[in-house]
């Protein structure tokens, strides 16, 4: 039993809700009578409602995001039908902007917009002190804007990571909040100013945290701070440590490079947003970057460090054609990041990208995640092809299961156009983009490379076999047995380094 329940539906079990832990840590005297209950989006809404109601709370606070707004709406609708007296408070980016007419907002009693670390506790305090005064709208307005919190007053949330969280889930941390840039598709462009946030790094290491995911939007914005943090972790590095940072691609001065180069291979992962190589598109969406410095930084990272690079490109930006996107993709392939996330443009609530809606004929899906369906330059059928391209790229290029085999798809031709042919062919064969077993995908790739591209079957089989063993597997797939020498499988398989996340480890072997 608890007066206050804080909850959210995470995208996956391994994602421990960082924002909710901040709210819980800052409940003050109310914390003793509050609890945090996490679910994931694969659980049934009624089952979630049952667990929450069993706590018999007076208030439930929901963290609402683009990935959970639909099932969360169902959960709240059920709770309100059974126990209309329970006060529902919403927070999170999905309910911080353009809330008028949003079904989930209509169901809720109060919505806190902005950073609610301190505001949630204040709202609960008022509601509980004046409990019984109905409706609660007489006590507080429906929409409550949280002012930027003063970090000197904030209790950090890290003690709320349990031993189980540390052992089995991703541990999120932050050293700064906000972003000074103005990319029109991004919610963080509304987050100015940037603030430094205290990080008890030694305490986290002492608690046994090995894998740190920094949520800072631009970790290397403040070079002195980011260097100090990197040096701190480098000095205490232990096998199994893994640090993920989001980096601005054109900002890697010598002092940062020197420190980065000292980290062991695979221990650093940089998520590097490029989004577009088309300078006109960059200017149109107010995202300016120095492409020469960006390329120079990529060369440095790939040649002189063991950093795992996860680079982002976006399909569907205003002004981007399929040709210019393809040219950008090829340019990025030439820079050699281990992973390329091909994202489909989303129309996030509150973002200024809507100013292009009329002139660029931007049509988005009305349902989350509000992805672009077509625009003036890319029709719906082509957008669908690119959506499949993105999914199949994830399965083939990013997964680490086809590190050597994927480049066979293009062999000197345009990687974009060649991969699009593979994507179209694969979709015609399987008519789906999910639930394709690895063995089936291997077999189809073998068939495509040998049957469609007429590559030598022995060469293809040996390349696929090396990739297959990269994941620590030994069983020789039946379809390639005739093309492999009998002695070769006796070689020891190259097991990925178990201490690193699996996908990154496969890229490293
Ligand atoms: S895309 Fe990155 S750099 Fe641009 S506003 Fe968002 S967080 Fe900042």
């Amino acid at each position: 039993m608890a007066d206050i329940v804080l909850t959210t539906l995470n995208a996956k079990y391994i994602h421990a809700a960082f924002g909710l832990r901040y709210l819980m840590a800052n409940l003050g005297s109310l914390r003793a009578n509050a609890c945090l209950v996490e679910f994931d989006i694969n659980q049934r809404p009624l089952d979630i409602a049952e667990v929450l109601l069993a706590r018999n709370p007076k208030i439930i606070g929901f963290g609402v995001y683009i990935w959970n707004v639909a099932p969360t709406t169902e959960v709240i609708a059920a709770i309100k039908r059974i126990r209309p007296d329970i006060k529902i408070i919403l927070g999170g980016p999905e309910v911080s902007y353009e809330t008028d007419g949003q079904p989930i907002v209509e169901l809720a009693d109060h919505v806190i917009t902005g950073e609610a670390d301190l505001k949630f506790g204040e709202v609960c305090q008022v509601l509980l002190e004046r409990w019984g005064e109905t409706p609660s709208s007489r006590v507080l307005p429906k929409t409550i804007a949280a002012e930027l919190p003063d970090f000197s007053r904030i209790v950090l949330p890290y003690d709320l990571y349990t031993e189980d969280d540390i052992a089995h889930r991703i541990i999120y941390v932050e050293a700064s909040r906000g972003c000074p840039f103005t990319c029109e598709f991004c919610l963080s462009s509304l987050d100015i100013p940037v603030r430094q946030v205290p990080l008890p790094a030694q305490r986290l290491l002492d608690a046994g945290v090995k894998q740190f995911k920094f949520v800072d939007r631009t970790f290397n914005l403040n070079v002195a701070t980011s260097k100090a943090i990197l040096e701190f972790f480098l000095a205490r590095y232990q096998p199994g440590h893994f640090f993920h940072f989001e980096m601005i691609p054109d900002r890697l001065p010598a002092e940062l490079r020197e420190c980065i180069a000292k980290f062991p291979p695979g221990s650093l992962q940089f998520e590097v947003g490029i989004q577009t190589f088309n300078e006109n598109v960059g200017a149109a969406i107010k995202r300016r970057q120095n492409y020469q410095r960006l390329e120079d930084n990529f060369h440095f990272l790939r040649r002189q460090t063991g950093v795992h690079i996860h680079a982002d490109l976006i399909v569907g930006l205003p002004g981007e054609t399929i040709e210019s996107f393809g040219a950008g993709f090829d340019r990025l392939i030439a820079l050699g990041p281990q992973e390329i996330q091909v994202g489909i443009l989303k129309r996030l609530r509150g973002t200024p990208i809507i100013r292009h809606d009329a002139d660029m004929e931007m049509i988005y899906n009305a349902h989350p995640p509000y992805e672009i369906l077509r625009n003036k330059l890319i029709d719906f059928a082509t957008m669908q092809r690119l959506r499949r391209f993105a999914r199949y790229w994830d399965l083939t290029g990013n997964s680490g299961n086809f590190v050597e085999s994927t480049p066979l798809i293009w062999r000197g031709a345009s990687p974009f156009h060649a991969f699009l042919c593979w994507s179209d062919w694969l979709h015609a064969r399987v008519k789906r983009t999910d639930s394709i077993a690895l063995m089936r995908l291997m077999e189809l790739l073998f068939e495509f490379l040998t049957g469609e591209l007429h590559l030598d079957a022995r060469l293809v089989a040996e390349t696929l076999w090396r990739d297959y063993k990269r994941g620590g597997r030994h069983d020789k797939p039946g379809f390639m047995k005739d093309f492999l020498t009998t002695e070769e499988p006796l070689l020891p398989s190259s097991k990925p380094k178990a201490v690193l996340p699996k996908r990154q480890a496969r890229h490293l072997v």
Side-chain angles (χ1 to χ4, degrees), residues 179 181-183 185-186 188-189 217-218 287:
C179 178
F181 299 104
T182 53
C183 314
F185 57 84
C186 178
S188 297
S189 66
R217 305 318 311 265
T218 47
R287 180 184 174 85

Side-chain angles (χ1 to χ4, degrees), residues 289-482:
Q289 50 197 355
N290 182 323
Y291 289 99
Q292 197 176 336
R293 275 215 304 266
L294 177 156
E295 291 192 333
D296 187 48
N297 287 336
F298 265 75
H299 290 316
F300 159 74
L301 290 171
R302 291 299 284 130
R303 291 170 189 162
Q304 295 177 50
T305 77
V307 172
H308 181 99
I309 308 176
H310 176 104
D312 298 333
L313 283 180
I314 297 180
V315 167
L317 288 169
E320 190 91 271
T321 60
I322 187 167
E323 290 76 22
S324 73
F325 176 81
F329 184 84
D330 290 352
R331 200 164 156 189
L332 184 52
I333 286 280
L335 296 175
Q338 288 88 340
E339 294 179 29
I340 298 175
Q341 182 177 324
V342 179
I344 309 296
L345 177 64
K346 296 176 181 63
R347 193 291 212 198
L348 303 179
R349 288 173 188 276
T351 52
I353 192 98
I354 51 168
R355 74 186 183 96
H356 301 283
D357 282 4
D359 63 327
M360 295 310 294
E361 298 170 20
M362 311 288 281
I363 304 294
Y364 299 90
N365 197 327
H367 300 284
Y370 316 112
E371 286 182 344
I372 186 112
L373 297 175
R374 71 165 171 84
N375 63 27
K376 193 175 180 178
L377 302 173
I378 303 180
D379 62 22
F380 176 64
T382 309
M383 205 67 88
Q384 284 292 89
R385 280 177 80 199
L386 292 170
R387 210 181 302 281
R388 290 191 284 272
F389 178 104
R391 174 65 188 141
Y392 291 144
W393 178 260
D394 215 32
L395 292 178
T396 315
N398 287 346
S399 65
N401 287 318
F402 301 98
V403 172
E404 283 188 63
S405 314
T406 304
L408 294 179
I409 295 171
W410 53 82
R411 293 164 309 126
S414 153
F416 172 74
H417 287 288
F419 197 89
L420 191 57
C421 288
W422 154 243
S423 170
D424 290 344
W425 181 90
L426 183 57
H427 185 250
R429 287 298 303 273
V430 297
K431 299 193 170 42
R432 62 193 310 161
T433 55
D434 59 359
S435 308
I436 309 172
L438 175 61
M439 189 64 77
R440 176 83 177 123
L441 189 59
M442 274 178 72
E443 199 168 352
L444 287 161
L445 185 55
F446 180 79
E447 187 184 331
F448 177 78
L449 292 170
T450 56
E452 299 293 315
L453 303 188
H454 306 295
L455 297 192
D456 176 66
R458 184 176 294 271
L459 169 107
V460 174
E462 284 172 355
T463 312
L464 281 169
W465 176 230
R466 281 196 299 278
D467 275 342
Y468 190 63
K469 289 188 298 179
R470 192 181 290 273
R473 306 175 187 96
H474 305 271
D475 51 315
K476 198 189 275 184
F479 73 90
M480 61 168 72
K481 274 188 179 145
D482 290 347

Side-chain angles (χ1 to χ4, degrees), residues 32 49 57 163 171 254 288 418 440 457 495:
E163 279 180 25
I171 299 302
R288 291 193 175 79
R440 176 83 177 123
K495 262 203 180 271

Side-chain angles (χ1 to χ4, degrees), residues 9-10 87 209 243 337 351 370 469 476 505:
L9 281 64
N10 297 312
K87 298 297 170 209
V209 177
F243 308 96
T351 52
Y370 316 112
K469 289 188 298 179
K476 198 189 275 184

